[in-house]
C-alpha cells in the first residue's frame, strides 16, 4: 500500500509538471513524446516510418488522431501493426489521450504505471500481446475509463482492487492471462459495468456476492479458473445479465433457484464443476435461454425441464451427471425449437420413445446410459437428425430399415448394445452419412452391397459382430473412406481388389476373420495407409511388390496367416513403428534395410522360416523395445551392435540355431524384462552381468550347452518371475542367493549337473506356483523341510538325484500340489499321509519308502513302540506275559522229551535261523541300513531246567532264544497292526 501511495504521489507530480508544460504552450511536447515512444518499439513493417521531425504535422502520422484544432493528441491506434518491443513510460505524457489501442501486436515487458497519468483516457486496448508482470494499480486512477481490455497476455499477480475506483467502466477484459488470487469484492462498485471477462486465469476463492451490485452487467464470464464454493444467490439479481459462464471451475453446492429470475439470460454454462442436487425447475422460467450446459457435474434426480417453457432453447447439454429416471415426452414436445440434445453418461432408463415428437432435433446423444427396448421403427420421425448417438446402452432388436429415410444423417453410432439382425439395405440411401459405428453388437448376415452407395462415408466400424460372407467387391466406390474396421467377424473370401481405389484410406483392420487368398496388388495404391492389420486369417502367397510403395505405413500386423516369400515388400516405409509377422511361412534372410526404420519400436518375426544371421543393422534401431526372432532357422552369433538397443524390454531369440556365447554386454540392457535364448546352441557360462538387469521378469536359457555355475548375482533380480535353465551342462551348487528372487513363480533347473544340497532358502520363495523342477541333477542331502512353506506350488519334481533321508512331514502343507515326483532317489521312511493320493510312480526307483501308495510300513525298533498309546502298550505287555508262560510250559515239555525229540529240535533250530535271516533281509532293504534287533532276556528258572551238559545246555539256550525271537516278531507285527 505504501508503494502504491508513493507511486501515486510520483504520478501526481508528473501530472503537475505536464500541465505546467502544456500551460506554457510547449507545442513540441507531443512530438517529442511520440518519438520517444517510437524509439522503444521495434517496427519491422515500417508503419511508423513517417514518425519523424521532418514528417510533417504529427496529426498526419500513422495511427495518430488529434483534436480538430490539431493541438492535442486524442487517440493512438497501432493495433495489429506487427510491433514488438515495449511500451514507453513516455506514453503518460500524452495527457489529452482518450483512446490508446496497441492490441494484437507482439509487445513485451510490463504495462507502465505512467498510464495512470492519462486522466482523460476512456479506452485502453492492450490485449493479445506478450506483456508480463502485474496489472499496475495506478490504472485505478483513470476515473473516466470506460473500456479496459488487457487480456490474452502473460500478466500475473492479483487483480488490483483499485480497479473498483474506475466507476465509469463498462467493459473489463482480463481473460487468458496468468492472474491468481481472488476476484476483488470492489468489483461490485462498478455500477455501469456491462461485461466482465475473467476466464482462463488461475483465480481462486469464492465468487464475491458483491458482484450483485453490478446492476447493468450483461456478460459475466469467469470460466476456466479455480473458483470454489457456491454460486452466490445475488447473481440472480443481475436482471440485465444475458451471458453467465462459470464453466470448468471447482464450484460446489446446488444451483441457486434465484437463477430462474434472470429473465434476459440467453446463455448459461456451468459445465465441469462439482455442483450437486437436482436441476431446479425454476430454470424453466428462462424463456430467452438459448444455450444451457450443466454437463460434467454431479447433478442427480430426474430431468425436470421442458421446452414447452424454455421455448427459445436450442442447445441442452446435461451429459456426465447422475441423472436418473426416464425421458419424459414433455422434455421436447412437437412445437419445440430444440436442435441439440445431449444426455450422455447418466443413469437414464426406459426407452427413447418420448423424444420422437422432437422433430426439430439435429443432434441427439443418449449414449452411455441404461436405455432399453429397441430403436423405434418410426425413428424417421426425427427427419432432421444429423447425428444419432445411442452407443453403450442396452438396446435390443434390429436396426430398423426406416433409418434409410433420415436423409440428413451424417453420424450413426449404436455400438456396444445388443442389436441383432442384418444391416438393412435401405442404409444405402444415406448419401450424407460419414460415420457408421455398429461395433460390439450381435448383428449378423452379410454386409450389403448397397452400403457402398454411401459415397461420403469416412469411417466404418463393424468390429465384434457376426457378419459373414465376403467383403463387398464394390468397396472401392467409397473414395472418401479413411477407416475400415471389420475385425473379429466371420467374413470369408478374398480381400476385394477394388479396395485399392479407396485412396484416402489410412486404417485397414480386417483381422480375426476367415479371409483367404492373396493380397491384391491394388493395395499398393493406398498411399496414405498408416495401419493395416490382417492377423488371424487364412491369407496366403507372397506379398505383392506394389506394397513397397506404401511410404506412410506405421503399423503392420500380418501374424497368424499363411504368407510366404520375402518380407522385403513391407519395408518401403521409413515410418514403420510396429511390425508383427509372427506365425507365417516367410523365408529368406532378414533384410538389413530394416535398420533404416528408425521409428521401429516393435519387431516380431517369430515362427517363420527365416534364415541367415541376425543383421547387425538392427542395432541402429535405438528405440526398439520388442524384438522377436524366435523359432526360425537363424544361425551365427548375437551381433555386438544389438547392444545399442538400450530400450529393449523383450528379446526373444529362442528356437533357432544360434551359436557362440551369451554376451556379457546384456548387463547393459537395463530395461530388459524378458530374455529368451532357449533351444539354440549357446555355450559358455551364464553371464553374471545379467544380475544388473534389475527389471528382468523372465529368463529362458534352457536347451543349450551352457556350463559353469549358476551365478549368485541372479539373486539381484528381485522382480524375476520365471527362471528356466533346464537341459544345459550347468554344475556346482544351487546358489542360496536365489532366495532374494521372492517373486519367482516358476523355477526350472532340471537336466543339469548341479550338486550339493537343496538350499533351505528356497522355502522363502513363497510365490512359487507353476513349478519347482530340480530333477535329473546330482543333488544330495535331504529334502529341506522349509519347502513346506511353498503353499502355492502346483508341481514339485526332485526326481533322479541322490537325495536321502525321510520325506519331511512339512510337505503335507502343500495343498495346491497336483504333481509330485520324488522318484529315483535314496529316500527312506514312511510317506506322509497327505501325499498318499499321488501315484506310486512318484516315489519308486531306489527309494526305501513305505506307506500308501506303496506297501505298508513295519516298525523295527523299540523306539517305534514309544509312539503307541498306553492302552496299546498294556495290551502288548499282557500278550507278552501270556506267550512267555506258554513258552515256559513248552520248554518244560521239551526238556522232558529232549532225548527222544532231539532230531526235531535240531530241525527247529535250522528253521529259526532261516526265518531270522529272512526277517533281517526284509528290513535291510538294499543293504544300505541295518535295523538293530531287540533280544528278550530268558528267565533263570528256564535256564535251571536245562540239562547240566554244557553242549546240550548251550543248544537248548539257543533254541529258547530263537523261540523268543519268534515272539518278538509277533510283538512287532502287533505294533504295526
Amino acid at each position: 500500500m505504501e508503494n502504491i501511495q508513493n507511486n501515486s504521489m510520483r504520478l501526481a507530480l508528473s501530472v503537475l509538471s505536464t500541465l505546467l508544460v502544456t500551460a506554457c504552450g510547449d507545442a513540441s511536447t507531443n512530438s517529442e513524446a511520440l518519438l520517444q515512444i517510437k524509439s522503444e518499439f521495434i517496427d519491422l513493417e515500417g508503419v511508423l516510418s513517417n514518425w519523424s521531425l521532418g514528417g510533417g504535422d504529427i496529426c498526419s502520422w500513422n495511427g495518430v488522431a488529434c483534436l480538430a484544432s490539431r493541438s492535442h493528441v486524442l487517440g493512438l491506434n497501432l493495433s495489429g501493426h506487427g510491433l514488438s518491443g515495449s511500451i514507453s513510460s513516455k506514453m503518460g505524457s500524452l495527457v489529452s489521450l482518450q483512446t490508446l489501442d496497441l492490441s494484437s501486436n507482439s509487445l513485451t515487458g510490463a504495462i507502465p504505471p505512467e498510464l495512470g497519468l492519462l486522466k482523460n483516457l476512456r479506452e485502453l486496448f492492450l490485449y493479445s500481446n506478450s506483456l508480463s508482470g502485474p496489472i499496475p494499480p495506478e490504472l485505478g486512477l483513470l476515473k473516466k475509463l470506460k473500456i479496459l481490455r488487457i487480456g490474452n497476455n502473460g500478466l500475473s499477480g492479483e487483480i488490483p482492487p483499485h480497479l473498483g475506483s474506475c466507476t465509469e467502466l463498462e467493459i473489463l477484459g482480463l481473460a487468458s492471462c496468468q492472474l491468481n488470487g481472488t476476484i476483488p469484492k470492489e468489483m461490485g462498485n462498478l455500477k455501469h459495468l456491462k461485461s466482465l471477462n475473467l476466464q482462463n486465469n488461475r483465480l481462486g476463492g469464492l465468487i464475491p456476492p458483491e458482484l450483485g451490485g453490478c446492476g447493468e452487467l450483461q456478460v459475466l464470464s469467469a470460466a476456466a479458473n479455480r473458483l470454489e464454493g457456491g454460486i452466490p444467490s445475488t447473481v440472480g439479481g443481475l436482471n440485465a445479465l444475458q451471458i453467465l459462464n462459470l464453466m470448468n471451475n471447482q464450484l460446489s453446492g446446488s444451483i441457486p433457484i434465484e437463477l430462474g429470475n434472470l429473465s434476459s439470460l440467453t446463455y448459461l454454462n456451468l459445465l465441469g464443476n462439482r455442483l450437486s442436487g437436482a436441476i431446479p425447475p425454476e430454470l424453466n422460467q428462462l424463456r430467452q435461454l438459448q444455450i444451457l450446459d450443466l454437463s460434467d457435474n454431479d447433478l442427480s434426480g430426474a430431468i425436470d425441464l421442458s421446452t414447452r417453457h424454455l421455448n427459445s432453447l436450442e442447445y441442452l447439454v446435461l451429459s456426465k451427471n447422475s441423472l436418473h429416471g426416464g425421458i419424459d415426452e414433455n422434455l421436447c414436445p412437437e412445437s419445440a425449437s430444440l436442435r441439440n440434445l445431449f444426455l450422455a453418461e447418466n443413469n437414464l432408463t426406459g426407452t427413447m420413445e418420448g423424444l420422437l415428437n422432437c422433430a426439430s432435433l439435429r443432434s441427439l446423444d443418449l449414449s452411455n446410459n441404461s436405455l432399453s427396448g429397441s430403436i423405434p421403427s418410426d425413428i424417421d420421425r426425427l427427419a432432421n437428425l444429423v447425428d444419432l448417438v445411442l452407443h453403450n446402452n442396452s438396446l435390443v432388436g434390429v436396426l430398423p430399415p426406416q433409418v434409410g429415410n433420415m436423409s440428413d444423417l451424417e453420424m450413426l453410432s449404436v455400438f456396444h448394445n445388443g442389436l441383432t439382425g442384418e444391416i438393412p439395405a435401405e442404409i444405402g440411401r444415406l448419401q450424407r452419412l460419414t460415420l457408421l459405428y455398429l461395433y460390439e453388437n450381435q448383428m449378423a448376415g452379410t454386409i450389403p452391397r448397397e452400403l457402398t452407395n454411401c459415397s461420403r462415408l469416412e469411417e466404418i466400424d463393424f468390429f465384434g459382430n457376426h457378419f459373414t460372407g465376403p467383403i463387398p467387391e464394390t468397396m472401392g466406390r467409397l473414395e472418401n473412406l479413411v477407416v475400415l474396421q471389420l475385425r473379429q467377424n466371420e467374413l470369408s473370401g478374398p480381400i476385394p481388389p477394388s479396395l485399392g481405389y479407396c485412396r484416402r484410406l489410412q486404417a485397414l483392420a480386417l483381422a480375426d476373420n476367415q479371409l483367404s487368398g492373396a493380397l491384391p496388388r491394388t493395395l499398393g495404391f493406398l498411399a496414405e495407409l498408416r495401419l493395416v492389420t490382417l492377423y488371424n486369417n487364412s491369407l496366403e502367397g507372397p506379398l505383392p511388390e506394389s506394397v513397397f510403395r506404401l511410404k506412410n505405413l506405421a503399423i503392420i500386423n500380418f501374424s497368424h496367416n499363411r504368407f510366404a516369400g520375402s518380407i522385403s515388400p513391407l519395408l518401403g516405409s521409413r515410418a514403420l513403428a510396429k511390425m508383427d509377422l509372427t506365425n507365417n511361412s516367410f523365408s529368406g534372410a532378414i533384410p538389413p534395410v530394416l535398420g533404416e526404420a528408425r521409428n521401429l519400436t516393435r519387431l516380431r518375426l517369430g515362427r517363420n522360416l527365416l534364415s541367415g544371421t541376425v543383421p547387425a543393422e538392427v542395432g541402429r534401431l535405438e528405440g526398439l523395445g520388442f524384438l522377436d526372432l524366435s523359432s526360425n532357422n537363424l544361425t551365427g552369433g548375437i551381433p555386438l551392435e544389438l547392444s545399442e538397443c538400450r530400450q529393449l524390454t523383450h528379446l526373444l531369440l529362442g528356437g533357432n540355431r544360434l551359436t557362440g556365447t551369451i554376451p556379457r554386454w546384456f548387463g547393459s540392457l537395463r530395461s530388459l524384462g524378458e530374455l529368451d535364448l532357449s533351444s539354440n546352441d549357446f555355450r559358455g557360462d551364464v553371464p553374471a552381468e545379467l544380475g544388473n538387469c534389475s527389471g528382468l521378469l523372465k529368463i529362458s536359457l534352457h536347451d543349450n550347452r551352457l556350463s559353469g555355475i549358476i551365478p549368485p548375482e541372479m539373486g539381484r533380480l528381485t522382480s524375476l518371475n520365471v527362471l528356466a535353465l533346464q537341459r544345459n551342462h550347468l554344475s556346482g551348487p544351487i546358489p542360496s542367493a536365489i532366495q532374494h528372487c521372492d517373486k519367482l513363480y516358476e523355477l526350472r533347473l532340471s537336466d543339469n549337473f548341479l550338486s550339493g544340497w537343496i538350499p533351505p532358502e528356497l522355502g522363502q520363495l513363497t510365490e512359487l506356483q507353476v513349478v519347482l523342477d530340480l530333477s535329473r541333477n546330482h543333488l544330495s542331502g535331504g529334502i529341506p523341510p522349509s519347502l513346506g512353506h511353498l503353499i502355492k506350488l502346483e508341481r514339485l519334481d526332485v526326481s533322479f538325484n541322490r537325495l536321502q533321508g525321510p520325506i519331511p512331514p512339512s510337505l503335507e502343507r502343500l495343498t495346491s500340489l497336483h504333481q509330485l515326483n520324488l522318484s529315483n532317489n535314496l529316500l527312506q521312511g514312511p510317506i506322509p499321509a497327505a501325499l498318499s493320493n499321488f501315484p506310486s510312480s512318484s516315489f519308486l526307483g531306489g527309494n526305501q519308502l513305505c506307506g500308501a501308495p506303496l506297501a505298508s510300513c513295519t516298525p523295527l525298533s523299540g523306539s517305534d513302540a514309544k509312539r503307541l498309546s498306553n492302552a496299546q502298550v498294556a495290551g502288548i505287555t499282557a500278550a507278552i506275559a501270556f506267550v512267555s508262560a506258554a513258552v515256559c510250559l513248552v520248554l518244560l515239555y521239551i526238556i522232558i522229551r529232549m532225548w527222544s525229540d532231539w532230531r526235531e529240535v535240531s530241525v527247529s533250530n535250522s528253521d529259526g535261523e532261516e526265518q531270522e535271516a529272512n526277517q533281517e533281509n526284509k528290513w535291510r532293504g538294499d543293504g544300505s541300513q541295518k535295523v538293530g534287533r531287540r533280544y528278550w532276556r530268558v528267565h533263570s528258572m528256564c535256564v535251571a531246567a536245562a540239562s547240566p551238559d554244557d553242549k546240550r545246555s548251550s543248544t537248548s539256550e539257543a533254541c529258547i532264544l530263537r523261540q523268543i525271537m519268534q515272539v518278538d516278531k509277533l510283538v512287532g507285527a502287533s505294533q504295526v497292526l
Side-chain angles (χ1 to χ4, degrees), residues 218-257:
Q218 298 175 9
V219 176
L220 173 56
S221 178
N225 279 286
R226 302 169 183 175
L227 300 175
E228 301 174 343
I231 301 172
S233 59
T234 55
V235 174
L238 300 174
N239 295 326
L241 200 62
Q242 298 175 17
I243 295 175
L244 177 58
N245 187 359
L246 301 177
M247 63 178 283
N248 291 334
N249 278 285
Q250 300 171 20
L251 300 171
S252 57
S254 59
I255 299 174
I257 61 175

Side-chain angles (χ1 to χ4, degrees), residues 89 613 737 786 881:
S89 60
T613 61
S786 61

Side-chain angles (χ1 to χ4, degrees), residues 700-722:
S700 298
L701 306 180
H702 59 85
D703 292 282
N704 280 286
R705 299 188 185 186
L706 300 174
S707 57
I709 64 170
I710 300 174
E713 288 79 2
M714 288 292 181
R716 300 178 189 168
L717 305 178
T718 55
S719 299
L720 199 62
N721 297 147
V722 176

Side-chain angles (χ1 to χ4, degrees), residues 114-238:
E114 286 78 6
L115 294 186
L117 296 172
L118 304 177
K119 299 297 184 177
N120 295 302
L121 199 63
R122 288 169 172 77
E123 298 176 345
L124 176 57
F125 302 96
L126 302 178
Y127 63 87
S128 297
N129 279 286
S130 298
L131 300 171
S132 58
I135 299 173
E138 288 80 6
L139 297 184
L141 300 173
L142 304 177
K143 303 298 183 181
K144 296 181 181 181
L145 197 63
K146 291 181 178 292
I147 301 176
L148 175 60
R149 295 184 60 194
I150 57 177
N152 196 21
N153 277 290
L155 301 174
S156 58
E158 299 186 359
I159 299 173
H162 307 79
L163 294 182
S165 301
C166 302
T167 54
E168 297 298 317
L169 262 180
E170 296 179 1
I171 297 176
L172 177 57
L174 305 178
S176 301
C177 291
Q178 300 175 28
L179 301 173
N180 52 34
T182 61
I183 301 174
K185 64 181 180 180
E186 288 79 3
M187 292 294 168
N189 298 332
L190 305 178
K191 306 300 181 183
H192 302 294
L193 195 63
K194 292 180 172 57
S195 176
L196 176 59
N197 191 349
L198 306 175
Q199 65 187 28
N200 294 317
N201 278 289
R202 301 172 183 175
L203 300 172
L206 306 176
I207 299 174
E210 288 80 2
L211 286 181
C214 303
E216 298 181 16
L217 200 61
Q218 298 175 9
V219 176
L220 173 56
S221 178
N225 279 286
R226 302 169 183 175
L227 300 175
E228 301 174 343
I231 301 172
S233 59
T234 55
V235 174
L238 300 174

Side-chain angles (χ1 to χ4, degrees), residues 513-549:
N513 279 287
Q514 300 167 16
L515 300 174
S516 58
L519 283 187
R521 288 178 295 175
T522 53
L523 288 188
F525 299 157
L526 303 178
E528 297 185 27
L529 197 63
R530 298 182 65 251
L531 177 149
V532 54
T533 58
L534 305 177
Y535 58 87
N536 288 342
N537 279 289
S538 298
L539 299 167
E540 60 188 6
L543 302 175
E545 291 295 332
S546 61
V547 175
F548 190 81
R549 298 199 296 264

Side-chain angles (χ1 to χ4, degrees), residues 73-130:
V73 176
L74 293 183
L76 185 59
N77 187 347
L78 300 175
S79 176
H81 282 12
L83 299 174
S84 56
S86 59
I87 303 173
S88 173
S89 60
K90 287 295 183 179
M91 197 72 74
S93 301
L94 304 176
V95 293
S96 299
L97 206 61
Q98 296 181 12
T99 300
L100 175 59
D101 190 350
L102 302 176
S103 62
S104 301
N105 283 291
S106 301
L107 300 174
T108 57
I111 299 174
E114 286 78 6
L115 294 186
L117 296 172
L118 304 177
K119 299 297 184 177
N120 295 302
L121 199 63
R122 288 169 172 77
E123 298 176 345
L124 176 57
F125 302 96
L126 302 178
Y127 63 87
S128 297
N129 279 286
S130 298

Side-chain angles (χ1 to χ4, degrees), residues 213-422:
C214 303
E216 298 181 16
L217 200 61
Q218 298 175 9
V219 176
L220 173 56
S221 178
N225 279 286
R226 302 169 183 175
L227 300 175
E228 301 174 343
I231 301 172
S233 59
T234 55
V235 174
L238 300 174
N239 295 326
L241 200 62
Q242 298 175 17
I243 295 175
L244 177 58
N245 187 359
L246 301 177
M247 63 178 283
N248 291 334
N249 278 285
Q250 300 171 20
L251 300 171
S252 57
S254 59
I255 299 174
I257 61 175
E258 289 81 2
L259 296 188
N261 299 328
L262 301 176
S263 56
S264 300
L265 203 63
T266 61
Y267 179 95
L268 175 57
N269 193 338
L270 303 179
L271 81 85
N273 281 285
R274 301 172 182 174
L275 299 171
S276 57
I279 300 173
E282 287 79 3
L283 296 186
N284 285 308
Q285 302 170 22
L286 304 178
R287 296 186 177 274
Q288 302 298 317
L289 197 63
Q290 297 175 15
I291 296 175
L292 174 59
D293 192 339
L294 306 179
S295 61
D296 200 6
N297 279 285
D298 195 23
L299 300 174
S300 57
I303 301 175
D304 195 6
L305 295 173
S306 173
T307 52
R308 291 185 188 275
H309 307 293
L310 298 168
N311 47 25
S312 299
L313 195 65
E314 296 183 4
Y315 197 104
L316 176 59
V317 188
L318 304 178
S319 303
K320 294 186 179 181
N321 279 289
S322 300
L323 301 171
H324 56 79
I327 301 174
D328 193 280
E329 62 181 9
N330 288 324
L331 176 61
C332 186
E334 190 171 357
S335 59
S337 58
L338 191 64
R339 294 168 60 86
N340 303 281
L341 177 60
F342 299 90
L343 303 179
E345 295 188 53
N346 280 285
N347 301 318
L348 300 176
T349 55
T351 69
M352 57 177 294
E353 298 279 351
L355 292 174
L356 294 183
N357 292 325
C358 198
S360 60
L361 276 178
R362 300 283 289 170
S363 295
L364 176 61
D365 187 353
L366 304 177
S367 63
N368 294 283
N369 279 287
S370 299
L371 298 176
S372 56
S374 61
I375 299 174
S377 59
D378 53 350
I379 187 69
D380 55 342
R381 290 168 58 186
L382 303 178
N384 295 308
L385 267 185
V386 174
D387 300 315
L388 178 57
V389 182
L390 304 175
H391 59 255
N392 286 330
N393 278 287
S394 299
L395 300 173
V396 295
V398 301
L399 184 64
Q402 289 80 0
V403 167
N405 299 329
M406 305 170 73
S407 57
D408 289 337
L409 204 62
E410 296 179 5
M411 178 180 181
L412 176 59
S413 179
V414 294
F415 66 84
H416 201 245
N417 278 286
L419 298 180
T420 55
E422 300 184 356

